[in-house]
Coordinates of all heavy atoms in Angstrom, one line a residue:
M29 N 17.6 -17.6 12.0 CA 17.0 -16.2 11.8 C 16.1 -16.1 10.7 O 16.4 -16.6 9.6 CB 18.2 -15.3 11.7 CG 17.8 -13.9 11.6 SD 19.2 -12.6 12.0 CE 19.8 -12.4 10.5
A30 N 14.9 -15.5 10.8 CA 14.0 -15.4 9.8 C 14.5 -14.5 8.7 O 15.2 -13.4 9.0 CB 12.7 -14.9 10.3
E31 N 14.2 -14.8 7.4 CA 14.6 -13.8 6.4 C 13.7 -12.5 6.4 O 12.5 -12.6 6.6 CB 14.4 -14.5 5.1 CG 14.8 -13.7 3.8 CD 14.7 -14.5 2.5 OE1 14.8 -15.8 2.5 OE2 14.4 -13.9 1.5
S32 N 14.4 -11.5 6.2 CA 13.7 -10.2 6.2 C 12.9 -10.0 4.8 O 13.3 -10.4 3.8 CB 14.6 -9.1 6.4 OG 14.0 -7.8 6.4
A33 N 11.8 -9.3 5.0 CA 11.0 -9.0 3.8 C 11.7 -7.8 3.1 O 11.3 -7.6 1.9 CB 9.5 -8.5 4.1
F34 N 12.7 -7.2 3.6 CA 13.3 -6.0 3.0 C 14.7 -6.3 2.7 O 15.4 -7.1 3.4 CB 13.4 -4.8 4.1 CG 11.9 -4.3 4.5 CD1 11.4 -4.7 5.6 CD2 11.2 -3.5 3.6 CE1 10.1 -4.3 5.9 CE2 10.1 -3.0 3.9 CZ 9.5 -3.4 5.1
Q35 N 15.1 -5.9 1.6 CA 16.4 -6.3 1.0 C 17.3 -4.9 1.3 O 16.8 -3.8 1.0 CB 16.5 -6.5 -0.4 CG 15.5 -7.7 -0.7 CD 16.3 -8.8 -1.3 OE1 17.5 -8.7 -1.7 NE2 15.6 -10.0 -1.3
R36 N 18.4 -5.0 1.8 CA 19.3 -3.8 2.2 C 20.1 -3.5 1.0 O 20.6 -4.3 0.3 CB 20.0 -4.0 3.4 CG 19.3 -4.2 4.7 CD 20.2 -4.1 5.8 NE 19.3 -4.1 7.1 CZ 19.0 -5.3 7.8 NH1 19.4 -6.4 7.5 NH2 18.2 -5.2 8.9
G37 N 20.3 -2.3 0.7 CA 21.1 -1.8 -0.3 C 21.7 -0.5 0.1 O 21.6 -0.1 1.2
P38 N 22.5 0.1 -0.8 CA 23.1 1.3 -0.5 C 22.0 2.6 -0.3 O 21.0 2.5 -0.9 CB 23.9 1.7 -1.8 CG 23.3 1.0 -2.9 CD 22.7 -0.2 -2.2
A39 N 22.4 3.4 0.8 CA 21.4 4.5 1.0 C 21.4 5.5 -0.2 O 22.5 5.8 -0.8 CB 22.0 5.3 2.2
L40 N 20.3 5.9 -0.7 CA 20.2 6.8 -1.8 C 19.5 8.0 -1.3 O 18.7 8.1 -0.4 CB 19.3 6.1 -2.8 CG 19.8 4.8 -3.5 CD1 18.8 4.2 -4.4 CD2 21.1 5.1 -4.1
P41 N 20.0 9.3 -1.9 CA 19.4 10.6 -1.5 C 17.9 10.5 -2.0 O 17.5 9.8 -2.9 CB 20.2 11.6 -2.3 CG 20.7 10.8 -3.4 CD 21.0 9.4 -2.9
F42 N 17.0 11.3 -1.3 CA 15.7 11.5 -1.7 C 15.7 12.4 -3.0 O 16.5 13.2 -3.2 CB 14.9 12.2 -0.6 CG 14.6 11.3 0.6 CD1 15.2 11.5 1.7 CD2 13.7 10.3 0.5 CE1 14.8 10.8 2.9 CE2 13.3 9.5 1.5 CZ 13.9 9.8 2.8
P43 N 14.7 12.2 -3.8 CA 14.6 12.9 -5.0 C 14.3 14.4 -4.7 O 13.7 14.6 -3.6 CB 13.4 12.3 -5.8 CG 12.7 11.4 -4.8 CD 13.6 11.0 -3.7
T44 N 14.7 15.2 -5.6 CA 14.5 16.7 -5.4 C 13.1 17.1 -5.7 O 12.6 18.3 -5.1 CB 15.5 17.6 -6.2 OG1 15.3 17.1 -7.6 CG2 16.9 17.3 -5.8
A45 N 12.3 16.5 -6.4 CA 11.0 16.7 -6.8 C 10.1 16.0 -5.9 O 10.1 14.7 -5.8 CB 10.7 16.4 -8.2
P46 N 9.2 16.7 -5.0 CA 8.3 16.0 -4.2 C 7.2 15.3 -4.8 O 6.8 15.7 -6.0 CB 7.7 17.2 -3.3 CG 7.8 18.4 -4.1 CD 9.1 18.1 -5.0
A47 N 6.6 14.3 -4.2 CA 5.5 13.5 -4.8 C 4.3 14.4 -4.7 O 4.1 15.2 -3.7 CB 5.3 12.3 -4.1
E48 N 3.3 14.3 -5.7 CA 2.1 15.0 -5.6 C 1.0 14.0 -5.7 O 0.7 13.7 -6.8 CB 2.1 16.1 -6.7 CG 3.1 17.3 -6.4 CD 2.9 18.4 -7.4 OE1 1.9 18.6 -7.9 OE2 4.0 19.1 -7.8
T49 N 0.3 13.8 -4.6 CA -0.9 12.9 -4.6 C -1.9 13.6 -3.8 O -1.7 14.1 -2.7 CB -0.5 11.6 -3.9 OG1 0.6 11.0 -4.6 CG2 -1.7 10.6 -3.9
T50 N -3.1 13.7 -4.4 CA -4.2 14.3 -3.8 C -5.4 13.3 -3.7 O -5.4 12.3 -4.4 CB -4.7 15.5 -4.6 OG1 -5.1 15.1 -5.9 CG2 -3.6 16.6 -4.8
G51 N -6.3 13.6 -2.8 CA -7.4 12.7 -2.6 C -8.6 13.4 -2.0 O -8.4 14.5 -1.4
D52 N -9.7 13.1 -2.2 CA -11.1 13.6 -1.9 C -11.4 13.1 -0.4 O -11.6 12.0 -0.3 CB -12.1 13.3 -2.9 CG -13.4 14.0 -2.4 OD1 -13.6 14.4 -1.3 OD2 -14.4 14.0 -3.2
L53 N -11.0 13.9 0.5 CA -11.3 13.5 2.0 C -12.7 13.0 2.1 O -12.8 11.9 3.0 CB -10.9 14.6 2.8 CG -9.5 15.1 3.0 CD1 -9.3 16.1 4.0 CD2 -8.6 13.9 3.3
A54 N -13.7 13.6 1.6 CA -15.1 13.1 1.8 C -15.2 11.7 1.3 O -15.9 10.8 2.0 CB -16.0 14.0 1.3
A55 N -14.8 11.5 0.2 CA -14.7 10.2 -0.5 C -14.0 9.1 0.3 O -14.5 8.1 0.4 CB -14.3 10.3 -1.9
I56 N -12.8 9.6 0.7 CA -12.0 8.5 1.6 C -12.8 8.1 2.8 O -12.7 6.8 3.1 CB -10.6 9.2 1.9 CG1 -9.8 9.4 0.7 CG2 -9.9 8.4 3.0 CD1 -8.6 10.2 0.9
V57 N -13.5 8.9 3.4 CA -14.2 8.6 4.6 C -15.4 7.7 4.3 O -15.7 6.9 5.2 CB -14.6 9.9 5.4 CG1 -15.7 9.6 6.4 CG2 -13.4 10.6 5.9
S58 N -16.1 8.1 3.3 CA -17.3 7.3 3.0 C -17.2 6.0 2.1 O -18.1 5.2 2.1 CB -18.3 8.2 2.4 OG -17.8 8.6 1.1
D59 N -16.1 5.9 1.4 CA -15.8 4.8 0.5 C -14.5 4.1 0.8 O -13.5 4.6 0.5 CB -16.0 5.4 -0.9 CG -15.8 4.3 -2.0 OD1 -15.7 3.1 -1.8 OD2 -15.8 4.8 -3.3
K60 N -14.7 2.8 1.2 CA -13.5 2.0 1.5 C -12.5 1.8 0.3 O -11.4 1.8 0.4 CB -13.9 0.7 2.1 CG -14.5 0.7 3.4 CD -15.0 -0.8 3.9 CE -15.7 -0.7 5.1 NZ -16.2 -2.0 5.5
R61 N -13.1 1.7 -0.8 CA -12.3 1.5 -2.1 C -11.6 2.6 -2.4 O -10.4 2.7 -2.7 CB -13.3 1.0 -3.2 CG -12.4 0.7 -4.5 CD -13.2 0.0 -5.6 NE -13.8 -1.2 -5.0 CZ -13.1 -2.5 -5.0 NH1 -11.9 -2.4 -5.3 NH2 -13.7 -3.6 -4.6
E62 N -12.2 3.9 -2.2 CA -11.5 5.2 -2.5 C -10.4 5.3 -1.6 O -9.2 5.7 -1.9 CB -12.4 6.2 -2.5 CG -11.8 7.6 -2.8 CD -11.2 7.8 -4.2 OE1 -11.8 7.0 -5.1 OE2 -10.4 8.7 -4.4
A63 N -10.6 4.9 -0.2 CA -9.4 5.0 0.7 C -8.4 4.1 0.3 O -7.2 4.6 0.4 CB -10.0 4.5 2.1
V64 N -8.6 2.9 -0.3 CA -7.4 2.1 -0.7 C -6.8 2.7 -1.9 O -5.5 2.6 -2.0 CB -8.0 0.6 -0.9 CG1 -6.9 -0.2 -1.5 CG2 -8.6 0.0 0.5
V65 N -7.6 3.2 -2.9 CA -7.0 3.8 -4.0 C -6.0 4.9 -3.6 O -4.8 5.0 -4.0 CB -8.1 4.4 -4.9 CG1 -7.5 5.3 -6.1 CG2 -8.9 3.2 -5.5
V66 N -6.4 5.8 -2.6 CA -5.5 6.9 -2.3 C -4.4 6.4 -1.5 O -3.2 6.8 -1.7 CB -6.2 7.9 -1.4 CG1 -5.5 8.9 -0.9 CG2 -7.3 8.6 -2.4
A67 N -4.6 5.4 -0.5 CA -3.5 4.9 0.1 C -2.5 4.1 -0.8 O -1.1 4.3 -0.6 CB -4.0 3.8 1.2
C68 N -2.9 3.4 -1.7 CA -2.1 2.9 -2.8 C -1.2 4.0 -3.5 O 0.0 3.8 -3.7 CB -2.8 2.0 -3.8 SG -1.8 1.2 -5.0
A69 N -1.9 5.0 -3.9 CA -1.2 6.2 -4.6 C -0.1 6.8 -3.8 O 1.1 7.0 -4.1 CB -2.2 7.1 -5.1
L70 N -0.4 7.0 -2.5 CA 0.5 7.6 -1.6 C 1.8 6.6 -1.3 O 2.9 7.0 -1.3 CB -0.1 7.8 -0.2 CG -1.1 9.0 -0.3 CD1 -1.9 9.1 1.1 CD2 -0.5 10.4 -0.4
A71 N 1.4 5.3 -1.0 CA 2.5 4.4 -0.9 C 3.3 4.2 -2.1 O 4.6 4.1 -2.0 CB 1.8 2.9 -0.5
S72 N 2.7 4.2 -3.4 CA 3.5 4.1 -4.5 C 4.5 5.2 -4.7 O 5.5 5.0 -5.2 CB 2.5 4.0 -5.7 OG 1.7 2.9 -5.7
D73 N 4.0 6.4 -4.3 CA 4.9 7.5 -4.4 C 6.1 7.3 -3.5 O 7.4 7.6 -3.8 CB 4.2 8.9 -4.0 CG 3.3 9.5 -5.3 OD1 3.5 8.9 -6.4 OD2 2.5 10.2 -4.9
L74 N 5.9 6.9 -2.3 CA 6.9 6.7 -1.3 C 7.8 5.5 -1.8 O 9.1 5.7 -1.7 CB 6.4 6.4 0.1 CG 5.7 7.6 0.7 CD1 5.0 6.9 2.0 CD2 6.7 8.6 1.0
L75 N 7.3 4.5 -2.3 CA 8.1 3.4 -2.7 C 8.9 3.7 -4.0 O 10.0 3.2 -4.2 CB 7.1 2.1 -3.0 CG 6.5 1.5 -1.8 CD1 5.6 0.5 -2.1 CD2 7.7 0.8 -0.9
A76 N 8.3 4.6 -4.9 CA 9.0 4.9 -6.1 C 10.3 5.5 -5.6 O 11.4 5.4 -6.4 CB 8.2 5.8 -6.9
D77 N 10.4 6.2 -4.6 CA 11.6 7.0 -4.2 C 12.7 5.8 -3.8 O 13.9 6.1 -4.0 CB 11.4 7.8 -2.9 CG 10.5 8.9 -3.3 OD1 10.4 9.4 -4.5 OD2 10.0 9.6 -2.3
M78 N 12.2 4.7 -3.4 CA 13.2 3.6 -3.1 C 13.3 2.7 -4.2 O 14.0 1.6 -4.1 CB 12.7 2.9 -1.9 CG 12.7 3.9 -0.6 SD 12.0 3.1 0.8 CE 10.3 3.3 0.7
G79 N 12.8 2.9 -5.5 CA 13.0 1.9 -6.6 C 12.0 0.9 -6.6 O 12.0 0.0 -7.6
A80 N 10.8 0.8 -5.9 CA 9.8 -0.2 -5.9 C 8.6 0.4 -6.8 O 8.5 1.6 -7.1 CB 9.4 -0.5 -4.5
H81 N 7.7 -0.5 -7.2 CA 6.7 0.1 -8.1 C 5.4 0.1 -7.6 O 4.6 1.0 -7.9 CB 6.7 -1.0 -9.3 CG 8.0 -1.0 -10.1 ND1 8.4 0.0 -11.0 CD2 8.9 -1.9 -10.2 CE1 9.5 -0.3 -11.5 NE2 9.9 -1.5 -11.1
Q82 N 4.9 -0.7 -6.6 CA 3.7 -0.8 -6.2 C 3.7 -1.4 -4.7 O 4.4 -2.4 -4.5 CB 2.8 -1.5 -7.1 CG 1.3 -1.6 -6.6 CD 0.5 -2.4 -7.8 OE1 0.6 -2.1 -8.9 NE2 -0.4 -3.3 -7.2
P83 N 2.8 -1.0 -3.9 CA 2.6 -1.7 -2.6 C 2.3 -3.2 -2.8 O 1.7 -3.6 -3.7 CB 1.5 -1.1 -1.8 CG 1.4 0.2 -2.6 CD 1.8 0.1 -4.0
H84 N 2.7 -4.1 -1.9 CA 2.6 -5.5 -2.0 C 1.2 -5.9 -1.9 O 0.8 -7.0 -2.5 CB 3.5 -6.2 -1.0 CG 3.4 -7.6 -0.8 ND1 4.0 -8.4 -2.0 CD2 3.0 -8.5 0.0 CE1 3.8 -9.7 -1.7 NE2 3.2 -9.8 -0.6
I85 N 0.4 -5.3 -1.1 CA -1.0 -5.8 -0.9 C -2.1 -4.8 -1.3 O -3.3 -5.2 -1.3 CB -1.3 -6.0 0.7 CG1 -1.1 -4.8 1.5 CG2 -0.4 -7.1 1.2 CD1 -1.9 -4.8 2.8
L86 N -1.7 -3.6 -1.9 CA -2.7 -2.7 -2.4 C -2.7 -2.5 -3.9 O -1.5 -2.6 -4.4 CB -2.6 -1.3 -1.8 CG -2.5 -1.2 -0.2 CD1 -2.3 0.2 0.2 CD2 -3.8 -1.6 0.4
T87 N -3.9 -2.4 -4.6 CA -3.7 -2.2 -6.1 C -4.3 -0.8 -6.3 O -5.1 -0.2 -5.6 CB -4.7 -3.2 -6.8 OG1 -6.1 -2.9 -6.4 CG2 -4.3 -4.6 -6.3
P88 N -4.0 -0.2 -7.5 CA -4.5 1.0 -7.9 C -5.9 1.0 -8.1 O -6.6 2.1 -8.2 CB -3.7 1.4 -9.2 CG -2.5 0.5 -9.2 CD -3.0 -0.7 -8.5
Q89 N -6.5 -0.1 -8.2 CA -8.1 -0.2 -8.5 C -8.8 -0.2 -7.2 O -10.0 -0.3 -7.1 CB -8.3 -1.5 -9.3 CG -7.9 -1.5 -10.7 CD -6.4 -1.7 -10.8 OE1 -5.7 -2.5 -10.0 NE2 -5.6 -1.2 -11.8
G90 N -8.1 -0.3 -6.1 CA -8.8 -0.2 -4.8 C -9.0 -1.5 -4.1 O -9.8 -1.6 -3.1
D91 N -8.2 -2.5 -4.5 CA -8.3 -3.8 -4.0 C -7.2 -4.0 -3.0 O -6.1 -3.6 -3.1 CB -8.2 -5.0 -5.1 CG -9.4 -4.9 -6.1 OD1 -10.5 -4.7 -5.6 OD2 -8.9 -4.8 -7.3
I92 N -7.6 -4.8 -1.9 CA -6.7 -5.4 -1.0 C -6.4 -6.8 -1.1 O -7.3 -7.6 -1.3 CB -7.0 -5.1 0.5 CG1 -7.3 -3.7 0.8 CG2 -6.2 -5.7 1.5 CD1 -7.9 -3.4 2.1
L93 N -5.1 -7.2 -1.4 CA -4.8 -8.6 -1.8 C -4.7 -9.4 -0.5 O -3.4 -9.5 0.0 CB -3.6 -8.6 -2.7 CG -3.6 -7.7 -4.0 CD1 -2.3 -7.7 -4.8 CD2 -4.8 -8.2 -4.9
T94 N -5.9 -9.7 0.0 CA -5.7 -10.3 1.4 C -5.0 -11.7 1.3 O -4.5 -12.1 2.4 CB -7.2 -10.5 1.9 OG1 -7.9 -11.3 1.0 CG2 -7.8 -9.2 2.2
D95 N -4.8 -12.4 0.2 CA -4.1 -13.6 0.2 C -2.6 -13.4 0.5 O -1.9 -14.3 0.7 CB -4.3 -14.4 -1.2 CG -3.8 -13.5 -2.4 OD1 -4.0 -12.2 -2.3 OD2 -3.2 -14.1 -3.3
R96 N -2.1 -12.2 0.5 CA -0.8 -11.8 0.7 C -0.5 -11.5 2.1 O 0.6 -11.3 2.5 CB -0.2 -10.7 -0.3 CG -0.2 -11.1 -1.7 CD 0.3 -10.0 -2.6 NE 0.4 -10.4 -3.9 CZ 0.9 -9.5 -4.9 NH1 1.2 -8.3 -4.6 NH2 0.8 -10.1 -6.1
L97 N -1.5 -11.4 2.9 CA -1.4 -11.0 4.3 C -1.4 -12.5 5.1 O -1.9 -13.5 4.7 CB -2.6 -10.4 4.8 CG -2.8 -9.0 4.3 CD1 -4.1 -8.4 4.7 CD2 -1.8 -8.0 4.7
N98 N -0.7 -12.5 6.2 CA -0.7 -13.6 7.1 C -2.0 -13.7 7.9 O -2.7 -12.7 7.9 CB 0.5 -13.6 7.9 CG 0.6 -12.5 9.0 OD1 -0.5 -12.2 9.4 ND2 1.8 -12.1 9.5
G99 N -2.1 -14.8 8.4 CA -3.6 -15.0 9.0 C -4.0 -14.0 10.1 O -5.0 -13.6 10.4
E100 N -2.8 -13.6 10.9 CA -3.2 -12.7 11.9 C -3.7 -11.3 11.5 O -4.5 -10.7 12.2 CB -1.8 -12.4 12.7 CG -1.1 -13.6 13.4 CD 0.1 -13.2 14.0 OE1 0.4 -12.1 14.4 OE2 1.0 -14.1 14.1
F101 N -3.3 -10.9 10.3 CA -3.8 -9.6 9.8 C -5.1 -9.8 8.9 O -5.9 -9.0 8.8 CB -2.6 -8.9 8.9 CG -1.5 -8.5 9.8 CD1 -0.3 -9.0 9.6 CD2 -1.7 -7.6 10.8 CE1 0.8 -8.8 10.4 CE2 -0.5 -7.2 11.6 CZ 0.6 -7.8 11.4
R102 N -5.2 -11.0 8.2 CA -6.2 -11.2 7.3 C -7.5 -11.1 8.0 O -8.5 -10.6 7.5 CB -6.0 -12.4 6.6 CG -7.0 -12.8 5.4 CD -6.8 -14.1 4.7 NE -5.4 -14.1 4.2 CZ -4.6 -15.2 4.4 NH1 -5.0 -16.4 5.0 NH2 -3.4 -15.3 4.0
H103 N -7.6 -11.7 9.2 CA -9.0 -11.8 9.9 C -9.3 -10.4 10.4 O -10.5 -10.2 10.7 CB -8.9 -12.8 11.1 CG -8.3 -12.4 12.2 ND1 -6.8 -12.3 12.4 CD2 -8.8 -11.9 13.3 CE1 -6.6 -11.9 13.7 NE2 -7.8 -11.6 14.2
Q104 N -8.5 -9.4 10.4 CA -8.9 -8.1 10.9 C -9.5 -7.4 9.8 O -10.1 -6.3 10.2 CB -7.5 -7.4 11.5 CG -7.0 -8.1 12.7 CD -5.7 -7.4 13.1 OE1 -5.5 -6.2 12.7 NE2 -4.9 -7.9 13.9
L105 N -9.6 -7.7 8.6 CA -10.2 -7.0 7.5 C -11.6 -7.7 7.4 O -11.7 -8.7 6.8 CB -9.5 -7.1 6.2 CG -8.2 -6.4 6.2 CD1 -7.5 -6.7 4.8 CD2 -8.4 -4.9 6.2
T106 N -12.6 -6.9 8.0 CA -13.9 -7.4 8.0 C -14.8 -6.4 7.4 O -14.4 -5.1 7.2 CB -14.5 -7.7 9.3 OG1 -14.4 -6.4 10.1 CG2 -13.7 -8.7 10.2
G107 N -15.8 -6.8 6.7 CA -16.8 -6.0 6.1 C -16.3 -5.4 4.6 O -16.8 -4.6 4.1
W108 N -15.2 -6.1 4.2 CA -14.6 -5.6 2.9 C -15.3 -6.5 1.7 O -15.2 -7.7 1.7 CB -13.0 -5.9 2.8 CG -12.5 -5.4 1.5 CD1 -12.1 -6.1 0.5 CD2 -12.2 -4.0 1.3 NE1 -11.6 -5.3 -0.4 CE2 -11.7 -4.0 0.0 CE3 -12.5 -2.8 1.9 CZ2 -11.3 -2.9 -0.7 CZ3 -12.1 -1.6 1.3 CH2 -11.6 -1.6 0.0
E109 N -15.8 -5.8 0.7 CA -16.4 -6.4 -0.4 C -15.5 -6.5 -1.5 O -14.9 -5.4 -2.0 CB -17.6 -5.8 -0.9 CG -18.8 -5.8 0.2 CD -20.0 -5.0 -0.2 OE1 -20.1 -4.9 -1.5 OE2 -20.8 -4.6 0.6
P110 N -15.0 -7.7 -2.0 CA -14.1 -7.9 -3.1 C -14.6 -7.2 -4.4 O -15.7 -7.0 -4.6 CB -13.9 -9.3 -3.4 CG -14.9 -10.1 -2.4 CD -15.6 -9.0 -1.6

């Protein structure tokens, strides 16, 4: 059996304070880097609720760490400038 990427632990209640992340929709549509920055912020808020710090493949600077993707997904990212 393959090892899971997720580690199981005790169920924890959701925090009482909701995350507050905003993004400029026009910038997200027109700028790929801005879209990744906002996606990273949203994912980070969700992961923080579970005790993680940052998404595995997204950075706060707007980079996608393609070396962390398997080959099946890596080739689907086209037109991305590092």
Side-chain angles (χ1 to χ4, degrees):
M29 182 161 89
E31 183 177 328
S32 173
F34 297 98
Q35 306 242 342
R36 293 189 174 100
L40 300 173
F42 286 111
T44 57
E48 291 187 27
T49 301
T50 60
D52 180 351
L53 293 179
I56 290 171
V57 170
S58 64
D59 183 1
K60 291 178 186 178
R61 185 164 299 280
E62 181 65 20
V64 175
V65 167
V66 172
C68 182
L70 291 169
S72 294
D73 281 346
L74 292 171
L75 290 170
D77 291 344
M78 297 179 273
H81 299 288
Q82 177 176 317
H84 183 67
I85 63 165
L86 304 176
T87 70
Q89 294 77 30
D91 296 312
I92 298 175
L93 305 175
T94 57
D95 60 319
R96 295 183 178 179
L97 293 172
N98 67 29
E100 293 177 33
F101 296 114
R102 190 179 304 134
H103 80 278
Q104 294 180 15
L105 290 175
T106 59
W108 185 259
E109 296 178 17

